[in-house]
Amino acid sequence: RKMASRGSYATGPPAGGERKEACAEASKMESEEPVDTQRYPGDSVISTEMFPDSLAVFEPCSYVVVGCSAIAGNHWCGQLVLATSPPSSETKKKSPPKLSIIQKVNHVTGITDVEFAGRTKTPLLLASGDNGVIQCWQTAGGEQDPIVPNPACALHGHGDIISSLSVARSIGAEGETEKKQSGGDCGTALLSSSWDRTIKLWDLATSAVAVSTWSGHPDQVNRVKWNAIDPFAFASGGKGGYVLCWDTRQKDPTGGLRLSDGFECTTIDTHPSLAHAVLYGSSEGVVREVDTRVWKPAEGGVVTTHGEAVTCLRYSPDGERVASAAEDRTLVVSPSTVATYEEDTKKSSEAAGSSSEKNKTTAAVVPCRTTLSDFASAVEWTRSSPDGAWSLLSSCWDKSVRAHGNFSIA
């Protein structure tokens, strides 16, 4: 199973050969059985040859990349699956984009995370591996040609498995377009987290050497994520149970909390429009939002609860929803507690004679839950129609990637 290959949330990561032996049984499960598309008639589905561990979307060109891994004998191998998810031409119907595979690229080791960098139509494709190296590909292709990745460079510096990547895409709190972000242009500042207990900052525009390194976690770092508003801030979570916030201009964390009862922070995300909101999932199976101004749970606190460890989560682009998945095979879309609280606070502060525009309300977000045939390793949102509708993508260990028809935002 995936948690054996990446380190069980319950027992900790097996070392060396033990980790590989723990996944021998998982590799035997790689059958050629087709994905059951009839079970989810509203979904658009593609199949992968290996187990998908990560997922990234490049909206300007509707590109999707899936990072996959498998074990062959005693060796981890990987594969990048490149696909497109063009928005549907139907603006009124909530239909997911149609996924279509463009190309498959083999990788020398298991892939732990994938990202796109840059804002051009030929973005840089990044993939982190079990070998502690970040491989970079420069993509090429015209309007009518498929994206073609060509090896560009490799980033060395971590001493263990790289657990996650995060590329800065915000334009800064003041709203300047293409604002400088932490030593690199917007879209080229890369953060990486690792089992070596460190977080590194890379400037993809200038150097293949890490710009800065932080080592405030007492155990492996599971996830790092740029703040979408503050161009110098980012958040991280790790096996030691810590959720930390950082500033690239400082050496130590700017704040944080530790989960109780020895639970692990398995994954995190930052709110797309609120600089003080951080979302995290735990090995307890709980998804929570935190107000980092006071380091207390946001109003309501718990977003949703799963039966087992949370594997992935993501805010929706409007910040009003949270998509999360867990080892119990559940996939849930829930209302954001912090977004609901901020909206209610804003309404309560409005004067009685305010305009109808100010008093306009939005429909309440209704929680939606489904059970998958295996657990989802990653979730992302992608544009599903030209009028701004979004659909949820998930990569699942039944070796499928789905654009969900029942999880859409009009």
Side-chain angles (χ1 to χ4, degrees):
R1 306 302 295 174
K2 180 183 178 183
M3 295 312 144
S5 66
R6 301 289 177 251
S8 171
Y9 293 139
T11 61
E18 295 179 7
R19 179 170 68 89
K20 296 176 180 178
E21 290 174 10
C23 288
E25 183 176 350
S27 65
K28 295 177 183 178
M29 297 170 57
E30 297 188 19
S31 66
E32 297 301 323
E33 296 180 3
V35 174
D36 181 11
T37 58
Q38 298 304 313
R39 183 177 178 184
Y40 307 95
D43 296 354
S44 173
V45 187
I46 57 175
S47 298
T48 60
E49 299 171 7
M50 302 180 183
F51 296 109
D53 280 339
S54 51
L55 183 66
V57 177
F58 189 71
E59 284 301 332
C61 300
S62 299
Y63 291 146
V64 175
V65 62
V66 187
C68 305
S69 301
I71 187 169
N74 232 12
H75 175 69
W76 276 99
C77 56
Q79 187 178 72
L80 294 173
V81 178
L82 296 162
T84 57
S85 60
S88 170
S89 58
E90 302 179 42
T91 58
K92 294 183 179 180
K93 184 179 179 181
K94 287 186 178 181
S95 57
K98 182 174 177 56
L99 295 172
S100 178
I101 295 177
I102 302 173
Q103 189 177 5
K104 297 179 180 179
V105 181
N106 291 328
H107 193 48
V108 294
T109 187
I111 298 173
T112 58
D113 203 6
V114 288
E115 268 280 19
F116 285 107
R119 291 182 177 274
T120 67
K121 291 186 177 181
T122 56
L124 196 65
L125 176 59
L126 312 173
S128 57
D130 286 337
N131 58 357
V133 178
I134 303 170
Q135 187 66 50
C136 307
W137 287 271
Q138 180 60 61
T139 62
E143 293 287 343
Q144 305 299 324
D145 301 321
I147 180 174
V148 179
N150 297 307
C153 66
L155 308 180
H156 298 263
H158 282 294
D160 207 332
I161 292 173
I162 298 174
S163 53
S164 72
L165 303 173
S166 180
V167 174
R169 286 194 175 89
S170 78
I171 58 175
E174 292 79 17
E176 303 96 319
T177 58
E178 298 299 317
K179 179 176 179 177
K180 286 282 186 176
Q181 176 132 7
S182 312
D185 288 336
C186 182
T188 62
L190 170 68
L191 289 170
S192 58
S193 63
S194 172
W195 283 17
D196 66 8
R197 307 182 182 184
T198 68
I199 300 168
K200 291 184 181 292
L201 170 64
W202 313 79
D203 183 356
L204 301 175
T206 62
S207 175
V209 179
V211 175
S212 300
T213 300
W214 294 271
S215 55
H217 281 273
D219 210 321
Q220 69 187 47
V221 189
N222 288 329
R223 179 66 59 176
V224 65
K225 188 65 184 290
W226 279 110
N227 189 296
I229 302 300
D230 186 339
F232 299 101
F234 63 93
S236 62
K239 187 179 179 182
Y242 286 93
V243 179
L244 302 176
C245 279
W246 307 78
D247 188 302
T248 57
R249 298 162 294 187
Q250 300 181 29
K251 180 180 179 181
D252 298 319
T254 57
L257 59 82
R258 187 177 186 182
L259 277 59
S260 61
D261 301 323
F263 289 114
E264 176 180 351
C265 175
T266 56
T267 184
I268 62 167
D269 197 15
T270 54
H271 198 278
S273 59
L274 299 173
H276 59 270
V278 170
L279 176 73
Y280 72 86
S282 72
S283 56
E284 182 185 10
V286 178
V287 176
R288 286 188 175 90
E289 286 178 289
V290 175
D291 186 336
T292 60
R293 295 171 297 186
V294 293
W295 280 104
K296 293 182 179 180
E299 191 72 14
V302 176
V303 177
T304 191
T305 301
H306 295 270
E308 296 183 38
V310 179
T311 55
C312 56
L313 48 75
R314 187 72 73 232
Y315 275 113
S316 62
D318 60 10
E320 295 181 3
R321 297 162 176 81
V322 171
S324 60
E327 289 184 9
D328 62 0
R329 301 184 293 118
T330 55
L331 176 61
V332 182
V333 174
S334 308
S336 162
T337 58
V338 67
T340 302
Y341 175 72
E342 294 280 341
E343 181 67 19
D344 290 344
T345 301
K346 179 181 178 182
K347 290 176 183 177
S348 65
S349 64
E350 291 176 350
S354 60
S355 66
S356 59
E357 177 65 24
K358 287 185 178 181
N359 283 326
K360 183 173 65 177
T361 61
T362 56
V365 177
V366 179
C368 185
R369 178 185 294 259
T370 190
T371 300
L372 305 172
S373 58
D374 209 327
F375 71 85
S377 56
V379 289
E380 289 286 351
W381 295 90
T382 186
R383 198 175 299 278
S384 58
S385 70
D387 63 352
W390 296 82
S391 289
L392 183 66
L393 296 179
S394 70
S395 59
C396 183
W397 261 49
D398 62 1
K399 296 191 286 185
S400 71
V401 178
R402 297 179 179 273
H404 294 269
N406 57 331
F407 294 125
S408 298
I409 305 174

